[in-house]
């Protein structure tokens, strides 16, 4: 069931999404060669708590027997790590790396979810194009995030844009509705058929998140039970915002 948010609930979503965006800003300012992913994690937690929010990813259950709850405040996914990378004091960013930082703030009963892929120092031309296409895929998708359109219009647009640019979308993970729960209905794949799926209605809040691989779409899981890497070792990028469907244009809640 898709939860349609009331005016008051939307105000609370806006507040927590702004905190998520401010947290990304703090991360962006800190990214440089030599910093560790654990240091970025600490910055994220501190920023969220300063604004009265808590990092919702910390302690998130894996749902898999033998795999511990997620231990950190951000997912930090470097180069060929697609999603769900665990921050570490041993992981030092170096010139030419890319890192996707996916974070979820929680406050007053609501979640705000966003991801950016940052370029560390000087990144090669093709990797830069990967990062830019991934971000642009989000904006291509939300052109269709309007009342009366169908969910598949967004999914199709993202997938087509990525393929036209010669990259692959991840098929096993997807965007989602968001609100009181981090993951709500509907699931939002980064591919699909235009004209299919649920009709978009004002008050829906959706996390739209293209996950893009430079090479083939296949993925593998790391031994920690969380990290997802590309099978062919090529780089991956990820860009996400929480948006609100309105009577007119969609509102991006996690951009400042
Ligand atoms: Mg996210």
């Amino acid at each position: 069931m898709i939860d349609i948010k009331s005016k008051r609930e939307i105000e609370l979503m806006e507040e927590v999404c702004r905190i998520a965006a401010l947290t990304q800003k703090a991360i962006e300012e800190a990214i440089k060669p030599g910093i560790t992913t654990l240091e970025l994690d600490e910055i994220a937690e501190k920023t969220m708590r300063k604004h009265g929010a808590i990092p919702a990813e910390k302690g998130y259950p894996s749902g898999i027997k033998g795999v511990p709850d997620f231990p950190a405040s951000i997912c930090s996914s470097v180069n060929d790590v697609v999603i769900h990378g665990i921050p570490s004091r041993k992981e030092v960013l170096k010139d030419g790396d890319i890192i996707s930082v996916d974070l979820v703030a929680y406050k007053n009963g609501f979640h705000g979810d966003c991801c950016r892929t940052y370029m560390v120092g000087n990144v090669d031309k093709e990797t830069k194009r990967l990062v830019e296409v991934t971000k642009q895929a989000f904006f291509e998708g939300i052109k269709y995030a309007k009342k009366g359109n169908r969910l598949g219009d967004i999914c199709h647009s993202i997938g087509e844009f990525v393929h036209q640019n010669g990259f692959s979308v991840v098929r096993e993970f997807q965007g989602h509705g968001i609100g009181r729960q981090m993951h709500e209905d509907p699931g939002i794949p980064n591919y699909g058929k235009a004209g299919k799926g649920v009709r978009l209605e004002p008050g829906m809040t959706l996390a739209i998140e293209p996950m893009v691989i430079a090479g083939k779409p296949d993925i593998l899981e790391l031994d920690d039970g969380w990290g997802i890497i590309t099978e062919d070792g090529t780089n991956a990028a990820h860009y996400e915002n929480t948006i609100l469907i309105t009577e007119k244009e969609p509102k991006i809640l996690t951009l400042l």
Side-chain angles (χ1 to χ4, degrees):
M1 199 199 78
I2 299 173
D3 187 34
I4 302 297
K5 274 74 180 175
S6 67
K7 192 164 170 275
R8 177 62 187 146
E9 289 172 330
I10 289 167
E11 284 169 6
L12 294 172
M13 283 293 293
E14 285 174 333
E15 186 185 348
V16 73
C17 284
R18 186 179 144 74
I19 296 168
L22 286 168
T23 306
Q24 287 288 1
K25 187 166 175 266
I27 297 276
E28 183 176 15
E29 285 166 1
I31 296 257
K32 57 169 194 261
I35 197 162
T36 69
T37 50
L38 190 69
E39 287 174 292
L40 295 177
D41 185 69
E42 289 161 359
I43 289 166
E45 177 159 12
K46 209 180 284 176
T47 307
M48 286 191 221
R49 292 194 187 278
K50 189 172 83 185
H51 294 283
I54 59 166
E57 289 171 359
K58 203 170 209 173
Y60 193 83
S62 72
I64 302 161
K65 212 180 155 196
V67 177
D69 299 345
F70 195 78
S73 301
I74 59 169
C75 294
S76 56
S77 305
V78 178
N79 296 336
D80 65 331
V81 183
V82 186
I83 51 169
H84 301 167
I86 298 176
S88 162
R89 73 176 77 249
K90 291 180 195 153
E91 188 173 44
V92 182
L93 295 182
K94 56 184 194 305
D95 188 64
D97 282 345
I98 55 171
I99 174 174
S100 302
V101 175
D102 191 358
L103 57 89
V104 183
Y106 178 78
K107 185 178 181 181
N108 294 327
F110 287 88
H111 295 82
D113 188 354
C114 56
C115 180
R116 311 278 180 261
T117 298
Y118 299 106
M119 295 183 271
V120 184
N122 299 300
V123 170
D124 71 71
K125 211 171 136 197
E126 187 62 0
T127 302
K128 193 169 177 228
R129 194 172 75 86
L130 172 72
V131 173
E132 283 165 357
V133 163
T134 305
K135 180 177 178 179
Q136 188 57 34
F138 166 86
F139 288 97
E140 293 298 320
I142 67 157
K143 284 179 185 170
Y144 297 89
K146 286 180 191 169
K147 175 185 172 181
N149 282 354
R150 292 196 186 262
L151 191 64
D153 299 333
I154 299 174
C155 307
H156 175 78
S157 166
I158 291 171
E160 280 304 296
F161 182 75
V162 170
H163 290 141
Q164 281 162 13
N165 280 280
F167 299 134
S168 303
V169 293
V170 174
R171 298 161 302 189
E172 292 85 348
F173 295 88
Q174 59 184 5
H176 48 90
I178 180 167
R180 291 188 185 277
Q181 307 298 322
M182 192 193 298
H183 299 113
E184 299 184 353
D185 287 339
I188 310 172
N190 291 306
Y191 60 91
K193 285 203 172 78
K196 299 282 183 190
V198 295
R199 243 181 236 292
L200 302 174
E201 283 180 50
M204 287 181 177
T205 44
L206 308 171
I208 302 198
E209 48 178 324
M211 291 163 251
V212 179
I213 297 176
K216 296 207 175 77
D218 309 279
I219 54 169
L220 296 172
E221 193 181 277
L222 291 175
D223 289 339
D224 62 24
W226 281 103
I228 298 294
I229 59 169
T230 64
E231 188 177 279
D232 64 8
T234 59
N235 283 342
H238 184 188
Y239 184 85
E240 174 183 28
N241 283 303
T242 299
I243 70 160
L244 169 71
I245 305 296
T246 74
E247 290 291 338
K248 292 176 183 161
E249 294 299 314
K251 192 166 174 193
I252 304 173
L253 304 182
T254 45
L255 278 182
L256 294 174

